[in-house]
Amino acid sequence: GNYTLTGGTITFNPNNTNYDIREVDYYNLVLAGTGNSNFDFNADAYVQNDLTVTLSNTARIRNIDGPLTVANNFIFNSTSTNTSTISNDLTVGTFTLTNGLISVGTFTLEISGSGGWTQTGGTFTPAAGAIVLFSGAVDQTVNGSVTTTFTNVEINNSGTNGVILNRSFNISGTL
């Protein structure tokens, strides 16, 4: 038969546990680990709607073994003192960083939805070869109350106005 995912939320909330996120489709996924929990995404995990990260203590996203796609919102609001690492290509509809520490390796963070990028808190640390790609078919925005520093930015947006800067950002590499 066919497998059709139409809704629901899966919440992973371990305490002091290493957890593998399997390479299946999720509708909404919440990572809410505590203690010294580590989350590792296996290759090709896919979130059809939202991925919300609300880690605490020293919990973190430790590894992403293959490309990860979040069709709608990637929301990172973590009080953890550990840095979560995006260690492979990540495609999201929108990216929101409100709190926490997140780093991106020499991979591409592609933002494909109309929400674009919003940073109102937290720390975003891109590696020297990291690329943030705005690839929407509609107008996208850069929002927030924090000025973000990107290493490399690519714009491949076909919206009427393209990428709208409601908040300035810095580029340490190339545009």
Side-chain angles (χ1 to χ4, degrees):
N2 292 329
Y3 170 73
T4 303
L5 187 61
T6 59
T9 299
I10 295 177
T11 300
F12 295 114
N13 192 13
N15 184 12
N16 294 316
T17 303
N18 294 331
Y19 197 86
D20 287 335
I21 308 296
R22 302 289 179 199
E23 57 277 353
V24 298
D25 289 355
Y26 301 90
Y27 189 74
N28 291 306
L29 180 61
V30 176
L31 304 182
T34 63
N36 190 30
S37 296
N38 294 296
F39 291 95
D40 297 311
F41 280 88
N42 293 333
D44 298 321
Y46 182 80
V47 180
Q48 290 185 8
N49 198 36
D50 298 338
L51 171 58
T52 303
V53 180
T54 58
L55 306 172
S56 62
N57 300 98
T58 58
R60 66 186 172 142
I61 297 173
R62 180 174 58 184
N63 193 34
I64 299 176
D65 290 336
L68 172 62
T69 299
V70 179
N72 203 9
N73 301 305
F74 181 98
I75 302 162
F76 195 89
N77 185 17
S78 173
T79 60
S80 173
T81 57
N82 252 345
T83 299
S84 287
T85 303
I86 306 301
S87 56
N88 213 308
D89 290 337
L90 172 63
T91 300
V92 300
T94 65
F95 185 93
T96 302
L97 174 58
T98 58
N99 194 22
L101 308 168
I102 191 165
S103 69
V104 176
T106 55
F107 300 98
T108 299
L109 168 57
E110 180 177 356
I111 301 168
S112 61
S114 62
W117 173 278
T118 301
Q119 184 176 358
T120 58
T123 302
F124 176 78
T125 306
I131 298 168
V132 174
L133 168 62
F134 291 90
S135 66
V138 296
D139 292 347
Q140 295 175 296
T141 58
V142 175
N143 295 303
S145 56
V146 174
T147 300
T148 304
T149 297
F150 299 116
T151 304
N152 302 297
V153 174
E154 292 182 13
I155 298 175
N156 184 16
N157 179 290
S158 59
T160 303
N161 296 305
V163 177
I164 301 165
L165 301 180
N166 295 324
R167 176 70 186 180
S168 62
F169 60 85
N170 299 313
I171 300 174
S172 63
T174 60
L175 173 63

Coordinates of all heavy atoms in Angstrom, one line a residue, residues 89-140:
D89 N 23.8 19.9 3.9 CA 22.8 20.8 3.2 C 21.5 20.8 3.9 O 21.0 19.7 4.3 CB 22.6 20.5 1.8 CG 23.9 20.7 0.9 OD1 24.7 21.6 1.3 OD2 24.0 20.1 -0.1
L90 N 20.9 22.0 4.1 CA 19.6 22.1 4.8 C 18.8 23.0 3.9 O 19.2 24.2 3.6 CB 19.8 22.8 6.2 CG 18.5 23.2 6.9 CD1 17.6 22.0 7.2 CD2 18.9 23.9 8.2
T91 N 17.6 22.6 3.5 CA 16.6 23.4 2.7 C 15.4 23.6 3.6 O 14.8 22.6 4.2 CB 16.2 22.7 1.4 OG1 17.4 22.4 0.7 CG2 15.2 23.5 0.7
V92 N 15.0 24.9 3.8 CA 13.9 25.2 4.6 C 13.0 26.2 3.9 O 13.4 26.9 3.0 CB 14.3 25.9 6.0 CG1 15.2 24.9 6.8 CG2 15.1 27.2 5.7
G93 N 11.7 26.2 4.3 CA 10.8 27.3 3.8 C 11.2 28.6 4.3 O 11.4 29.6 3.6
T94 N 11.3 28.7 5.7 CA 11.7 29.9 6.4 C 12.6 29.5 7.5 O 12.6 28.3 8.0 CB 10.5 30.7 7.0 OG1 9.9 29.9 8.0 CG2 9.5 31.0 6.0
F95 N 13.5 30.4 7.9 CA 14.5 30.1 9.0 C 14.3 31.2 10.0 O 14.4 32.4 9.7 CB 15.9 30.2 8.4 CG 17.0 29.8 9.4 CD1 17.4 28.5 9.5 CD2 17.5 30.7 10.3 CE1 18.3 28.1 10.5 CE2 18.5 30.4 11.2 CZ 18.9 29.1 11.3
T96 N 14.0 30.8 11.3 CA 13.8 31.7 12.4 C 14.7 31.3 13.5 O 14.7 30.2 14.0 CB 12.4 31.7 12.8 OG1 11.5 32.1 11.8 CG2 12.2 32.7 14.0
L97 N 15.6 32.2 14.0 CA 16.5 32.0 15.1 C 16.1 33.0 16.2 O 16.3 34.2 16.0 CB 17.9 32.2 14.7 CG 19.0 32.1 15.8 CD1 19.0 30.8 16.6 CD2 20.4 32.3 15.2
T98 N 15.5 32.5 17.3 CA 15.1 33.4 18.4 C 16.0 33.3 19.6 O 16.1 34.3 20.4 CB 13.7 33.2 18.8 OG1 13.6 31.8 19.2 CG2 12.7 33.5 17.7
N99 N 16.7 32.2 19.8 CA 17.6 32.0 20.9 C 18.5 30.8 20.6 O 18.0 29.9 20.0 CB 16.8 31.8 22.2 CG 17.6 31.9 23.4 OD1 18.6 32.5 23.5 ND2 17.1 31.3 24.5
G100 N 19.7 30.8 21.2 CA 20.5 29.6 21.1 C 21.7 29.8 20.2 O 21.9 30.9 19.6
L101 N 22.5 28.8 20.1 CA 23.8 28.8 19.3 C 23.7 27.8 18.2 O 23.4 26.6 18.4 CB 24.9 28.4 20.3 CG 25.0 29.2 21.6 CD1 26.0 28.5 22.5 CD2 25.4 30.6 21.3
I102 N 23.9 28.3 17.0 CA 23.8 27.4 15.8 C 24.9 27.7 14.9 O 25.3 28.9 14.6 CB 22.4 27.5 15.1 CG1 22.2 26.4 14.1 CG2 22.2 28.9 14.6 CD1 20.8 26.2 13.7
S103 N 25.6 26.7 14.4 CA 26.7 26.9 13.4 C 26.4 26.1 12.1 O 25.7 25.1 12.2 CB 28.0 26.5 14.0 OG 28.1 25.1 14.1
V104 N 26.9 26.6 11.0 CA 26.7 25.9 9.7 C 28.1 25.6 9.2 O 28.9 26.5 9.1 CB 25.9 26.8 8.8 CG1 25.8 26.2 7.4 CG2 24.5 27.1 9.3
G105 N 28.3 24.4 8.8 CA 29.6 24.0 8.2 C 29.7 24.5 6.8 O 28.9 25.4 6.4
T106 N 30.5 23.9 6.0 CA 30.7 24.4 4.6 C 29.7 23.8 3.7 O 30.0 23.0 2.8 CB 32.2 24.0 4.1 OG1 32.4 22.6 4.3 CG2 33.2 24.8 4.9
F107 N 28.4 24.0 4.0 CA 27.3 23.5 3.3 C 26.4 24.7 2.9 O 26.6 25.8 3.3 CB 26.6 22.5 4.2 CG 27.4 21.3 4.6 CD1 28.0 21.3 5.8 CD2 27.6 20.3 3.7 CE1 28.9 20.2 6.2 CE2 28.5 19.2 4.0 CZ 29.1 19.2 5.2
T108 N 25.3 24.3 2.3 CA 24.3 25.3 1.8 C 23.1 25.3 2.7 O 22.5 24.2 2.9 CB 23.9 25.1 0.4 OG1 25.1 25.2 -0.4 CG2 22.9 26.1 -0.1
L109 N 22.7 26.4 3.2 CA 21.4 26.6 3.9 C 20.5 27.3 2.9 O 20.7 28.5 2.6 CB 21.6 27.4 5.2 CG 20.3 28.0 5.8 CD1 19.3 26.8 6.2 CD2 20.6 28.8 7.1
E110 N 19.6 26.6 2.3 CA 18.7 27.2 1.3 C 17.4 27.5 1.9 O 16.8 26.7 2.5 CB 18.5 26.1 0.1 CG 17.6 26.7 -1.0 CD 17.4 25.7 -2.1 OE1 18.1 24.6 -2.1 OE2 16.7 26.0 -3.0
I111 N 17.0 28.8 1.6 CA 15.7 29.3 2.1 C 14.8 29.5 0.9 O 15.1 30.3 0.0 CB 15.9 30.6 2.9 CG1 16.8 30.4 4.1 CG2 14.5 31.1 3.3 CD1 17.3 31.6 4.7
S112 N 13.7 28.7 0.8 CA 12.9 28.6 -0.4 C 11.5 29.2 -0.3 O 10.8 29.4 -1.3 CB 12.8 27.2 -0.9 OG 12.2 26.4 0.0
G113 N 11.1 29.6 0.9 CA 9.8 30.1 1.1 C 9.7 31.6 1.3 O 10.7 32.3 1.3
S114 N 8.5 32.1 1.4 CA 8.2 33.5 1.4 C 8.6 34.1 2.7 O 8.9 35.3 2.8 CB 6.8 33.8 1.1 OG 6.0 33.2 2.1
G115 N 8.7 33.4 3.8 CA 9.1 33.9 5.1 C 10.5 34.4 5.2 O 10.9 35.3 5.9
G116 N 11.4 33.7 4.4 CA 12.8 34.2 4.4 C 13.5 33.9 5.7 O 13.4 32.8 6.3
W117 N 14.3 34.9 6.1 CA 15.2 34.8 7.3 C 14.8 35.7 8.4 O 14.6 36.9 8.1 CB 16.7 35.1 6.9 CG 17.6 35.2 8.0 CD1 17.8 36.2 8.8 CD2 18.5 34.1 8.4 NE1 18.8 35.9 9.7 CE2 19.2 34.6 9.5 CE3 18.8 32.8 8.0 CZ2 20.2 33.9 10.2 CZ3 19.7 32.1 8.6 CH2 20.4 32.6 9.7
T118 N 14.7 35.3 9.6 CA 14.4 36.1 10.7 C 15.3 35.7 11.9 O 15.4 34.6 12.3 CB 13.0 36.0 11.2 OG1 12.1 36.4 10.1 CG2 12.7 37.0 12.4
Q119 N 16.1 36.7 12.4 CA 16.9 36.5 13.6 C 16.6 37.6 14.7 O 16.8 38.8 14.4 CB 18.4 36.5 13.3 CG 19.2 36.1 14.6 CD 20.7 36.0 14.3 OE1 21.1 36.1 13.2 NE2 21.4 35.7 15.4
T120 N 16.0 37.2 15.8 CA 15.7 38.1 16.9 C 16.5 37.8 18.1 O 16.4 38.5 19.1 CB 14.2 38.0 17.2 OG1 13.9 36.7 17.7 CG2 13.3 38.4 16.1
G121 N 17.4 36.9 18.1 CA 18.3 36.5 19.2 C 19.1 35.4 18.8 O 19.1 34.9 17.6
G122 N 19.9 34.9 19.7 CA 20.8 33.8 19.5 C 22.0 34.2 18.7 O 22.3 35.3 18.3
T123 N 22.9 33.2 18.4 CA 24.1 33.4 17.7 C 24.2 32.4 16.5 O 24.0 31.2 16.6 CB 25.3 33.1 18.6 OG1 25.3 34.0 19.7 CG2 26.6 33.4 17.8
F124 N 24.4 33.0 15.3 CA 24.5 32.2 14.1 C 26.0 32.3 13.6 O 26.5 33.4 13.4 CB 23.6 32.8 13.0 CG 23.7 32.1 11.6 CD1 23.1 30.9 11.4 CD2 24.4 32.7 10.6 CE1 23.2 30.2 10.2 CE2 24.5 32.1 9.4 CZ 23.9 30.8 9.2
T125 N 26.6 31.2 13.5 CA 28.0 31.1 13.1 C 28.3 30.3 11.9 O 28.2 29.1 11.9 CB 28.9 30.6 14.3 OG1 28.6 31.3 15.5 CG2 30.4 30.7 14.0
P126 N 28.5 30.9 10.7 CA 28.7 30.2 9.5 C 30.2 29.9 9.3 O 31.1 30.7 9.6 CB 28.2 31.1 8.4 CG 28.4 32.5 9.0 CD 28.3 32.4 10.5
A127 N 30.5 28.7 8.8 CA 31.9 28.4 8.4 C 32.4 29.2 7.2 O 31.5 29.8 6.5 CB 32.0 26.9 8.1
A128 N 33.7 29.2 6.9 CA 34.2 30.0 5.8 C 33.6 29.7 4.5 O 33.4 30.6 3.7 CB 35.7 29.8 5.8
G129 N 33.2 28.4 4.2 CA 32.6 28.1 2.9 C 31.1 28.0 3.0 O 30.5 27.6 2.0
A130 N 30.4 28.4 4.1 CA 29.0 28.2 4.2 C 28.3 29.2 3.2 O 28.7 30.3 3.0 CB 28.5 28.5 5.6
I131 N 27.2 28.7 2.6 CA 26.4 29.5 1.7 C 24.9 29.6 2.2 O 24.3 28.6 2.6 CB 26.3 28.9 0.3 CG1 27.8 28.8 -0.3 CG2 25.4 29.7 -0.6 CD1 27.9 28.0 -1.5
V132 N 24.4 30.8 2.3 CA 23.0 31.0 2.5 C 22.4 31.4 1.1 O 22.8 32.4 0.5 CB 22.7 32.0 3.6 CG1 21.2 32.3 3.7 CG2 23.2 31.6 4.9
L133 N 21.4 30.5 0.7 CA 20.9 30.7 -0.7 C 19.4 31.1 -0.5 O 18.6 30.3 0.1 CB 21.0 29.4 -1.5 CG 20.2 29.3 -2.8 CD1 20.6 30.3 -3.8 CD2 20.4 27.9 -3.3
F134 N 19.0 32.2 -1.0 CA 17.6 32.6 -1.1 C 17.1 32.2 -2.5 O 17.5 32.8 -3.5 CB 17.4 34.1 -0.9 CG 17.8 34.6 0.5 CD1 19.0 35.0 0.8 CD2 16.8 34.6 1.4 CE1 19.3 35.4 2.1 CE2 17.1 35.1 2.7 CZ 18.3 35.4 3.1
S135 N 16.2 31.2 -2.5 CA 15.8 30.6 -3.8 C 14.3 30.6 -4.0 O 13.8 29.8 -4.7 CB 16.3 29.2 -3.9 OG 15.6 28.4 -3.0
G136 N 13.6 31.6 -3.5 CA 12.1 31.6 -3.6 C 11.6 32.0 -4.9 O 12.2 32.7 -5.7
A137 N 10.4 31.5 -5.2 CA 9.7 31.9 -6.4 C 8.8 33.1 -6.1 O 8.1 33.6 -7.0 CB 8.8 30.7 -6.9
V138 N 8.7 33.5 -4.9 CA 8.0 34.7 -4.4 C 8.9 35.6 -3.6 O 10.0 35.2 -3.3 CB 6.7 34.3 -3.6 CG1 5.7 33.5 -4.4 CG2 7.1 33.5 -2.3
D139 N 8.5 36.8 -3.3 CA 9.3 37.7 -2.5 C 9.7 37.1 -1.2 O 8.9 36.4 -0.6 CB 8.6 39.0 -2.3 CG 8.4 39.8 -3.5 OD1 9.1 39.5 -4.6 OD2 7.7 40.8 -3.5
Q140 N 11.0 37.3 -0.8 CA 11.4 36.8 0.5 C 11.9 38.0 1.3 O 12.3 39.0 0.7 CB 12.6 35.8 0.3 CG 12.1 34.5 -0.4 CD 13.3 33.6 -0.7 OE1 14.2 33.9 -1.5 NE2 13.3 32.4 -0.1

